[in-house]
Structures are given as structure tokens and as C-alpha cells.
């Protein structure tokens, strides 16, 4: 079967499977896209707003939340390639707030019981989420003294809200005043590494994270609708982000309105979860990585950097103790989740999901890049039935090459 026929078959199957879910109202709307070795198909279902007055479209702009992380990682690796950064360099050289950190003797212990860090935090620690600070998925709902203190100081990890975030320098100063949860390199902890990485990129280049992303990633790839806010000229393509329906009442709340957190340039350009984008932009980003770091003659990364980014960096013990997925099937590379044991029934060699309803994966064995963007936030840090259905359909309709 040709790539064109495969893409057509997958597109038809996706529409058939996803349309009834959207008609049920959760999520209110979505846009999906696939790229099978250059054959691209995009579809849109549902509505942008609670009034059902605007339909989603191929060019609808969504809050991509944690799918921001791989984009930030690519920019960082481009800076590694040109010598601006080095993976083994201590971040304290550029981020003195994180030089010589203290570490809790017990992650759930009192803040006064600390010990010196066994080694400096490195650039690679930020990318691999092993700096010793961040969200512990397995401890959600059971805050330790460190969690409580960080929340009171305004540096807790939570759903993205770029206008409410502390400015970068202030945020890092407050963060650096707390002890690490674990020794650098000891455990995988979510999110904070990408936030710190964005600040590091800005300081290393003497400009803003947004400017670096535009120069190194977004501009070269023609990702015109990706950024940290939605310009007024594009506001008609941007809608609300909703909470899932209340299980008892069915009421749908609004997480963020169209004129909310992303309607103007943010106080903090979050390398963790701050970007908005479109399916088309993210398919181009995914195809660049799938094809070894280049689109046509436009090269963003060297193949070796792509390989390093998409290779698992976690040990079996780290994954078992605290990994990116509850079933232990996913490791972590440099800013991206990595599938540990690919099988024909699982789509994706690497990729990541976002808590505001986004998902992206590349599957090198299928020649596939796939993106699903919705306007409904997740109620927990794992994929929804909608996201699972998306990947299940692709597993059945896009064969291994």
C-alpha cells in the first residue's frame, strides 16, 4: 500500500472513531494531523466555544502545554551544537541561584534537614529531568513540607498560567532558596527542569527564550502560529480551554477563556508548557525530528543530536521508582518521553502529551508523525480515552514499514 493510500485510510478511520466522542461533548473540539512519510492529512471536529458558534478548523490554535518541552529541548540542543551550552556543564555558571544546592535528607522530611549536593546540577540534568527538583507523580495528593512551602512562595508546579507566573529572575531566586528534593541524577521528577532550561537558554544567549525559539526552531521550520501568545490578528482561530465535564452535574467549566492567559505576551516564557501552536506547525516539527533533524534543505539539528534526544536516559531502577508513565513503559530522553519496548500495537517511538489536551508522537518504524490537539484539559496527568483512541486507530491503520 502506498503512503498516500495509508494516509487516506488512517484519516477515514480517525474521523469515524473520533466524531462520536466529540459529539458527546468531551472534548468540545479538536484538530488532528498525521504525516506518513510526507503524506499529510488534517481533520477538525467540534467547536471552539461554549456557545457552539465557531467550528474548529485545520488552522485552529491550541494551548499545547507540555508539548512545549520537546520544542525547548531542540533549541537547547541547537545551542549545544554551536558551543553556547554543553551537556556536562554545571548550570551554576549561568544560574548562580542553583550553584551549591542543599538537598533534603528525606524528600518528605522537614526543610531544615538537608545535606550538600553530591555534585553540581548540569545542563543534561535539566533536559533529562534529573536535577533533583520537580513534581513526583506518585506523591500527588500527599504534599510534603517542601511542596507546601513552595506553593506558599509561588513556585509550585501546577497547570500552566503564564500571566500568573513570577518573572523569570524572581522565580529562579525563590526556587533556588529551597533545598532539592533528591540528589542530582538520582530521580526523574517532572516539569521543573524544563522551566529552568528556558531561563538558562535566555541567560546563555543574552536574549529571551521566545527569541531563541524563533531563531533556532520556529523560524527555520516556518512554524508561524507557534509562540507564547496569540496575536490579535489570529484571535478568531483561538478559543477557550475547558475543564472536563463534572461527573455528577455534567457542567463544563472554562480553564482559560480566549482573552485569558495567552491573549498577550506572558510575564514568564515557560519552556515547560507556555506555547500555543497548530497541528500543521507541530507536524512540521515532528517530521523534522523523524527525518534526522532537517526538513528538506533546512537543518535544525544534526542526526546525532536527534539520536541523543530520543534515547532513554533513565535506569530501570529510576523508571520503577518514579518514571514518566504509570506502567513503566516510557523512559525519558532529553526533553521527550521515549517508548522502551515498541510493539505493533503501540504507536510512538518517542513524543509527549500536554495536560491541556495535546498529544504528539513520532513512530520511526511507521514513518509517522501524529498530533492531536483538543480544547479540554486533562483531569489527571495521564492520557484520556480520546488520546488513547487516537493512538489505537493509528496502530491499526498505519502498518510497520
Amino acid at each position: 500500500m502506498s503512503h498516500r493510500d495509508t494516509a487516506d485510510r488512517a484519516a477515514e478511520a480517525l474521523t469515524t472513531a473520533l466524531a462520536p466522542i466529540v459529539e458527546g461533548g468531551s472534548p468540545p473540539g479538536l484538530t488532528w494531523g498525521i504525516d506518513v512519510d510526507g503524506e499529510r492529512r488534517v481533520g477538525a471536529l467540534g467547536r471552539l466555544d461554549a456557545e457552539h458558534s465557531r467550528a474548529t478548523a485545520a488552522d485552529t490554535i491550541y494551548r499545547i502545554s507540555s508539548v512545549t518541552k520537546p520544542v525547548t529541548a531542540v533549541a537547547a540542543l541547537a545551542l549545544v551544537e554551536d558551543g553556547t551550552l554543553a551537556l556536562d556543564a554545571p548550570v551554576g555558571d549561568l544560574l548562580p541561584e542553583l550553584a551549591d544546592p542543599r538537598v533534603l535528607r528525606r524528600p518528605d522530611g522537614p526543610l531544615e534537614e538537608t545535606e550538600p549536593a553530591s555534585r553540581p546540577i548540569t545542563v543534561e540534568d535539566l533536559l533529562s529531568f534529573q536535577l533533583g527538583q520537580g513534581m513526583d507523580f506518585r506523591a500527588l495528593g500527599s504534599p510534603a513540607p517542601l511542596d507546601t512551602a513552595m506553593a506558599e512562595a509561588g513556585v509550585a508546579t501546577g497547570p500552566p498560567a503564564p500571566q500568573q507566573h513570577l518573572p523569570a529572575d524572581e522565580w529562579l531566586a525563590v526556587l533556588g532558596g529551597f533545598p532539592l528534593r533528591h540528589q542530582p541524577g538520582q530521580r526523574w521528577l517532572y516539569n521543573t527542569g524544563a522551566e529552568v532550561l528556558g531561563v538558562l537558554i535566555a541567560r546563555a544567549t543574552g536574549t529571551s527564550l521566545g527569541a531563541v525559539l524563533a531563531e533556532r526552531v520556529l523560524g527555520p521550520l516556518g512554524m508561524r502560529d507557534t509562540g507564547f501568545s496569540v496575536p490579535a490578528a489570529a484571535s478568531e482561530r483561538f478559543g477557550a480551554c475547558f475543564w472536563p465535564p463534572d461527573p455528577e452535574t455534567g457542567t463544563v467549566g472554562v480553564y482559560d477563556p480566549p482573552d485569558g492567559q495567552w491573549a498577550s505576551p506572558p510575564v514568564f516564557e515557560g519552556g515547560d508548557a507556555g506555547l500555543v501552536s497548530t497541528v500543521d506547525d507541530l507536524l512540521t516539527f515532528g517530521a523534522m525530528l523523524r527525518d534526522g533533524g532537517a526538513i528538506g534543505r533546512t537543518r535544525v539539528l544534526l542526526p546525532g543530536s536527534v539520536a541523543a534526544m530520543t534515547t532513554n536516559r533513565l535506569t530501570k531502577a529510576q523508571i520503577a521508582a518514579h518514571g514518566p508513565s504509570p506502567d513503566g513503559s516510557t523512559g525519558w530522553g532529553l526533553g521527550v518521553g521515549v517508548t522502551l519496548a515498541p510493539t505493533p500495537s503501540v504507536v510512538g517511538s518517542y513524543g509527549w502529551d500536554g495536560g491541556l489536551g495535546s498529544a504528539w508522537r513520532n513512530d520511526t518504524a511507521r514513518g509517522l508523525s501524529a498530533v492531536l490537539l483538543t480544547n479540554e484539559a486533562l483531569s489527571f496527568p495521564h492520557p484520556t480515552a480520546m488520546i488513547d483512541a487516537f493512538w489505537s486507530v493509528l496502530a491499526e491503520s498505519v502498518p510497520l514499514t
Side-chain angles (χ1 to χ4, degrees), residues 109-176:
L111 272 60
E112 297 78 19
E113 295 183 5
T114 65
E115 60 189 9
S118 58
R119 65 165 177 79
I121 299 169
T122 66
V123 174
E124 182 172 343
D125 289 332
L126 302 185
L127 283 156
S128 65
F129 286 11
Q130 296 182 73
L131 72 159
Q133 195 67 280
M135 180 190 297
D136 185 340
F137 283 158
R138 300 188 184 185
L140 293 177
S142 303
L146 178 60
D147 298 306
T148 301
M150 292 178 70
E152 292 174 350
V155 294
T157 298
Q163 301 293 347
Q164 298 173 8
H165 201 288
L166 292 174
D169 290 346
E170 182 180 349
W171 173 80
L172 193 62
V174 176
L175 182 73

Side-chain angles (χ1 to χ4, degrees), residues 334-351:
L334 299 176
V336 68
V338 178
T339 302
L340 297 176
T343 68
S345 62
V346 175
V347 171
S349 307
Y350 55 87

Side-chain angles (χ1 to χ4, degrees), residues 110-398:
L111 272 60
E112 297 78 19
E113 295 183 5
T114 65
E115 60 189 9
S118 58
R119 65 165 177 79
I121 299 169
T122 66
V123 174
E124 182 172 343
D125 289 332
L126 302 185
L127 283 156
S128 65
F129 286 11
Q130 296 182 73
L131 72 159
Q133 195 67 280
M135 180 190 297
D136 185 340
F137 283 158
R138 300 188 184 185
L140 293 177
S142 303
L146 178 60
D147 298 306
T148 301
M150 292 178 70
E152 292 174 350
V155 294
T157 298
Q163 301 293 347
Q164 298 173 8
H165 201 288
L166 292 174
D169 290 346
E170 182 180 349
W171 173 80
L172 193 62
V174 176
L175 182 73
F178 287 101
L180 300 179
R181 198 177 304 267
H182 292 281
Q183 288 285 349
Q186 184 179 35
R187 295 283 290 273
W188 183 90
L189 296 170
Y190 191 55
N191 200 74
T192 303
E195 287 186 284
V196 176
L197 183 64
V199 181
L200 178 75
I201 288 171
R203 290 198 185 173
T205 57
T207 183
S208 67
L209 174 60
V212 176
L213 293 184
E215 178 184 355
R216 297 304 186 102
V217 184
L218 310 180
L221 294 177
M223 296 172 65
R224 297 177 181 85
D225 289 318
T226 303
F228 287 110
S229 61
V230 179
S235 61
E236 285 301 310
R237 294 189 283 128
F238 186 59
C241 179
F242 301 93
W243 287 114
D246 184 280
E248 295 183 0
T249 66
T251 303
V252 175
V254 174
Y255 170 76
D256 184 63
D259 60 352
Q261 296 287 318
W262 282 267
S264 59
V267 174
F268 180 86
E269 294 181 336
D272 60 325
L275 290 176
V276 297
S277 190
T278 62
V279 158
D280 208 48
D281 277 7
L282 290 177
L283 283 177
T284 299
F285 175 80
M288 175 273 295
L289 289 173
R290 182 196 64 198
D291 296 343
I295 291 287
R297 296 182 178 180
T298 301
R299 178 160 295 282
V300 174
L301 287 181
L302 295 172
S305 295
V306 176
M309 177 181 177
T310 58
T311 298
N312 174 50
R313 301 295 175 115
L314 305 183
T315 66
K316 291 182 179 179
Q318 286 176 315
I319 292 170
H322 180 103
S325 63
D327 62 0
S329 64
T330 305
W332 194 259
L334 299 176
V336 68
V338 178
T339 302
L340 297 176
T343 68
S345 62
V346 175
V347 171
S349 307
Y350 55 87
W352 200 236
D353 299 333
L356 298 185
S358 57
W360 156 71
R361 293 183 192 173
N362 275 2
D363 193 315
T364 56
R366 289 179 165 88
L368 173 70
S369 293
V371 177
L372 174 66
L373 302 179
T374 81
N375 54 10
E376 182 176 278
L378 278 61
S379 57
F380 49 87
H382 303 302
T384 63
M386 169 66 76
I387 293 175
D388 287 341
F390 182 67
W391 300 125
S392 295
V393 168
L394 290 177
E396 294 174 358
S397 56
V398 182

